[in-house]
Amino acid sequence: MPEYEASEAPKSLADAQPTEVIPPVAGRTASSTRWPLRRAAQIWIVVVAVLLALVALAVVADVVARNVAEQQVAEAIEANLPAGVEGDVEVTIGGFSAIAQYLTGTMQRVELDAPQLSVDGAPIDVSVVAEGLPVDFESPVQSLRATIAADEASVNQLVAVAGIETGFTLGDGTVGYEGELPMLGLPISYQVTATPTAAGDSVLLEPAGVEVAAGGASIDVSGVIDRLLGGEPLAVCVADRLPEGVQLDSISVTPGTAVVGLDADGLTLDAASLEQTGSCR
């Protein structure tokens, strides 16, 4: 039997021993955890993208609905204008979501502008802010505030006062008017400068200055002046020009122009209500 030295062991015996390669534990852990994190990030990106797309669609839909609603409200108001009132109305709906407001049946805030409204042929500029406007127009508005601007010609066309034939003159914070009073059988003409004040259904004209002409006659007109300055303010009723329930809240006058503020609570904007005006007694 042949003998071998230890150093001369057959190579086949050495090669026959299996070699096991153990992968690094650390490397396996990093690879296995990185994939789920990456997968989760992709899912969140998709979710966020879908949500953003839905929000964008909701915004677009609300913008479209708001524009449609504004047009419909404008057409409804124009159709319900009282007889003798004509003009285009521009509507702006406030609040966050027009769709949500419509579904509740009430618009939170609606602004109406009619810069060229005609009332019996007299041009005026009207701006209205309505809070709590029902979409069906059959229920009352929670509150309404309006501003009406008119030039001197429109004021004199729309407002007539017995005894004042020449109409009103609009000055810087004042209103001027002329008239006549009999004294000793003679007509005494006068010109009054007055300060206007809003008083619900009327404008009160408090005389601040008076000029009197006796027509060349030698008459003491001091009594006429005292009477005009010391008497009650001239009340100019405008209730018959306004829907019933609308009140004058303020008035300001500049040369050639008058601006009045109106308010109303519980006013219904249908045709029947707008045609029902107040009365001057």
PDB file of all heavy atoms in Angstrom, residues 45-61:
ATOM      1  N   ILE A  45     -47.229  59.351  -2.979  1.00  0.00           N
ATOM      2  CA  ILE A  45     -47.168  60.298  -4.100  1.00  0.00           C
ATOM      3  C   ILE A  45     -48.415  60.159  -4.963  1.00  0.00           C
ATOM      4  O   ILE A  45     -49.021  61.158  -5.384  1.00  0.00           O
ATOM      5  CB  ILE A  45     -45.889  60.064  -4.932  1.00  0.00           C
ATOM      6  CG1 ILE A  45     -44.651  60.493  -4.130  1.00  0.00           C
ATOM      7  CG2 ILE A  45     -45.964  60.831  -6.252  1.00  0.00           C
ATOM      8  CD1 ILE A  45     -43.345  60.153  -4.816  1.00  0.00           C
ATOM      9  N   VAL A  46     -48.841  58.942  -5.221  1.00  0.00           N
ATOM     10  CA  VAL A  46     -50.037  58.715  -6.019  1.00  0.00           C
ATOM     11  C   VAL A  46     -51.270  59.271  -5.305  1.00  0.00           C
ATOM     12  O   VAL A  46     -52.132  59.928  -5.906  1.00  0.00           O
ATOM     13  CB  VAL A  46     -50.210  57.214  -6.318  1.00  0.00           C
ATOM     14  CG1 VAL A  46     -51.559  56.949  -6.984  1.00  0.00           C
ATOM     15  CG2 VAL A  46     -49.081  56.720  -7.199  1.00  0.00           C
ATOM     16  N   VAL A  47     -51.358  59.019  -3.985  1.00  0.00           N
ATOM     17  CA  VAL A  47     -52.506  59.503  -3.217  1.00  0.00           C
ATOM     18  C   VAL A  47     -52.575  61.024  -3.237  1.00  0.00           C
ATOM     19  O   VAL A  47     -53.634  61.624  -3.458  1.00  0.00           O
ATOM     20  CB  VAL A  47     -52.435  58.982  -1.763  1.00  0.00           C
ATOM     21  CG1 VAL A  47     -53.494  59.659  -0.899  1.00  0.00           C
ATOM     22  CG2 VAL A  47     -52.620  57.476  -1.732  1.00  0.00           C
ATOM     23  N   VAL A  48     -51.439  61.674  -2.997  1.00  0.00           N
ATOM     24  CA  VAL A  48     -51.400  63.135  -3.009  1.00  0.00           C
ATOM     25  C   VAL A  48     -51.763  63.679  -4.384  1.00  0.00           C
ATOM     26  O   VAL A  48     -52.510  64.656  -4.518  1.00  0.00           O
ATOM     27  CB  VAL A  48     -50.019  63.633  -2.570  1.00  0.00           C
ATOM     28  CG1 VAL A  48     -49.901  65.139  -2.775  1.00  0.00           C
ATOM     29  CG2 VAL A  48     -49.766  63.296  -1.105  1.00  0.00           C
ATOM     30  N   ALA A  49     -51.264  63.047  -5.434  1.00  0.00           N
ATOM     31  CA  ALA A  49     -51.573  63.500  -6.795  1.00  0.00           C
ATOM     32  C   ALA A  49     -53.067  63.388  -7.083  1.00  0.00           C
ATOM     33  O   ALA A  49     -53.674  64.289  -7.673  1.00  0.00           O
ATOM     34  CB  ALA A  49     -50.778  62.687  -7.809  1.00  0.00           C
ATOM     35  N   VAL A  50     -53.689  62.287  -6.633  1.00  0.00           N
ATOM     36  CA  VAL A  50     -55.126  62.114  -6.835  1.00  0.00           C
ATOM     37  C   VAL A  50     -55.911  63.168  -6.069  1.00  0.00           C
ATOM     38  O   VAL A  50     -56.868  63.764  -6.580  1.00  0.00           O
ATOM     39  CB  VAL A  50     -55.554  60.697  -6.407  1.00  0.00           C
ATOM     40  CG1 VAL A  50     -57.071  60.574  -6.409  1.00  0.00           C
ATOM     41  CG2 VAL A  50     -54.950  59.661  -7.340  1.00  0.00           C
ATOM     42  N   LEU A  51     -55.501  63.422  -4.815  1.00  0.00           N
ATOM     43  CA  LEU A  51     -56.189  64.437  -4.015  1.00  0.00           C
ATOM     44  C   LEU A  51     -56.075  65.818  -4.649  1.00  0.00           C
ATOM     45  O   LEU A  51     -57.045  66.575  -4.697  1.00  0.00           O
ATOM     46  CB  LEU A  51     -55.616  64.455  -2.594  1.00  0.00           C
ATOM     47  CG  LEU A  51     -55.946  63.237  -1.718  1.00  0.00           C
ATOM     48  CD1 LEU A  51     -55.244  63.349  -0.373  1.00  0.00           C
ATOM     49  CD2 LEU A  51     -57.444  63.108  -1.526  1.00  0.00           C
ATOM     50  N   LEU A  52     -54.876  66.156  -5.128  1.00  0.00           N
ATOM     51  CA  LEU A  52     -54.694  67.454  -5.781  1.00  0.00           C
ATOM     52  C   LEU A  52     -55.556  67.556  -7.037  1.00  0.00           C
ATOM     53  O   LEU A  52     -56.137  68.617  -7.318  1.00  0.00           O
ATOM     54  CB  LEU A  52     -53.221  67.665  -6.127  1.00  0.00           C
ATOM     55  CG  LEU A  52     -52.270  67.881  -4.946  1.00  0.00           C
ATOM     56  CD1 LEU A  52     -50.825  67.985  -5.436  1.00  0.00           C
ATOM     57  CD2 LEU A  52     -52.650  69.135  -4.177  1.00  0.00           C
ATOM     58  N   ALA A  53     -55.660  66.464  -7.771  1.00  0.00           N
ATOM     59  CA  ALA A  53     -56.492  66.478  -8.964  1.00  0.00           C
ATOM     60  C   ALA A  53     -57.959  66.676  -8.602  1.00  0.00           C
ATOM     61  O   ALA A  53     -58.690  67.432  -9.257  1.00  0.00           O
ATOM     62  CB  ALA A  53     -56.308  65.173  -9.746  1.00  0.00           C
ATOM     63  N   LEU A  54     -58.412  66.022  -7.530  1.00  0.00           N
ATOM     64  CA  LEU A  54     -59.800  66.174  -7.092  1.00  0.00           C
ATOM     65  C   LEU A  54     -60.071  67.601  -6.628  1.00  0.00           C
ATOM     66  O   LEU A  54     -61.134  68.168  -6.912  1.00  0.00           O
ATOM     67  CB  LEU A  54     -60.099  65.184  -5.966  1.00  0.00           C
ATOM     68  CG  LEU A  54     -60.134  63.704  -6.379  1.00  0.00           C
ATOM     69  CD1 LEU A  54     -60.334  62.825  -5.151  1.00  0.00           C
ATOM     70  CD2 LEU A  54     -61.227  63.454  -7.399  1.00  0.00           C
ATOM     71  N   VAL A  55     -59.119  68.179  -5.877  1.00  0.00           N
ATOM     72  CA  VAL A  55     -59.281  69.562  -5.433  1.00  0.00           C
ATOM     73  C   VAL A  55     -59.359  70.505  -6.627  1.00  0.00           C
ATOM     74  O   VAL A  55     -60.188  71.420  -6.672  1.00  0.00           O
ATOM     75  CB  VAL A  55     -58.126  69.962  -4.498  1.00  0.00           C
ATOM     76  CG1 VAL A  55     -58.161  71.455  -4.216  1.00  0.00           C
ATOM     77  CG2 VAL A  55     -58.211  69.179  -3.189  1.00  0.00           C
ATOM     78  N   ALA A  56     -58.483  70.282  -7.612  1.00  0.00           N
ATOM     79  CA  ALA A  56     -58.492  71.136  -8.802  1.00  0.00           C
ATOM     80  C   ALA A  56     -59.827  71.016  -9.542  1.00  0.00           C
ATOM     81  O   ALA A  56     -60.402  72.018  -9.974  1.00  0.00           O
ATOM     82  CB  ALA A  56     -57.337  70.746  -9.726  1.00  0.00           C
ATOM     83  N   LEU A  57     -60.344  69.794  -9.644  1.00  0.00           N
ATOM     84  CA  LEU A  57     -61.635  69.608 -10.308  1.00  0.00           C
ATOM     85  C   LEU A  57     -62.757  70.281  -9.529  1.00  0.00           C
ATOM     86  O   LEU A  57     -63.665  70.883 -10.118  1.00  0.00           O
ATOM     87  CB  LEU A  57     -61.927  68.110 -10.452  1.00  0.00           C
ATOM     88  CG  LEU A  57     -61.076  67.350 -11.480  1.00  0.00           C
ATOM     89  CD1 LEU A  57     -61.395  65.865 -11.420  1.00  0.00           C
ATOM     90  CD2 LEU A  57     -61.305  67.893 -12.886  1.00  0.00           C
ATOM     91  N   ALA A  58     -62.682  70.196  -8.187  1.00  0.00           N
ATOM     92  CA  ALA A  58     -63.709  70.835  -7.362  1.00  0.00           C
ATOM     93  C   ALA A  58     -63.662  72.348  -7.521  1.00  0.00           C
ATOM     94  O   ALA A  58     -64.709  73.013  -7.593  1.00  0.00           O
ATOM     95  CB  ALA A  58     -63.517  70.453  -5.902  1.00  0.00           C
ATOM     96  N   VAL A  59     -62.469  72.915  -7.582  1.00  0.00           N
ATOM     97  CA  VAL A  59     -62.328  74.359  -7.752  1.00  0.00           C
ATOM     98  C   VAL A  59     -62.879  74.794  -9.105  1.00  0.00           C
ATOM     99  O   VAL A  59     -63.621  75.775  -9.208  1.00  0.00           O
ATOM    100  CB  VAL A  59     -60.849  74.779  -7.609  1.00  0.00           C
ATOM    101  CG1 VAL A  59     -60.666  76.237  -8.015  1.00  0.00           C
ATOM    102  CG2 VAL A  59     -60.369  74.566  -6.176  1.00  0.00           C
ATOM    103  N   VAL A  60     -62.517  74.050 -10.139  1.00  0.00           N
ATOM    104  CA  VAL A  60     -63.014  74.375 -11.481  1.00  0.00           C
ATOM    105  C   VAL A  60     -64.541  74.273 -11.523  1.00  0.00           C
ATOM    106  O   VAL A  60     -65.233  75.145 -12.065  1.00  0.00           O
ATOM    107  CB  VAL A  60     -62.375  73.453 -12.529  1.00  0.00           C
ATOM    108  CG1 VAL A  60     -63.033  73.648 -13.890  1.00  0.00           C
ATOM    109  CG2 VAL A  60     -60.882  73.725 -12.626  1.00  0.00           C
ATOM    110  N   ALA A  61     -65.076  73.197 -10.930  1.00  0.00           N
ATOM    111  CA  ALA A  61     -66.523  73.026 -10.919  1.00  0.00           C
ATOM    112  C   ALA A  61     -67.213  74.150 -10.163  1.00  0.00           C
ATOM    113  O   ALA A  61     -68.263  74.648 -10.575  1.00  0.00           O
ATOM    114  CB  ALA A  61     -66.876  71.674 -10.288  1.00  0.00           C
TER     115      ALA A  61
END
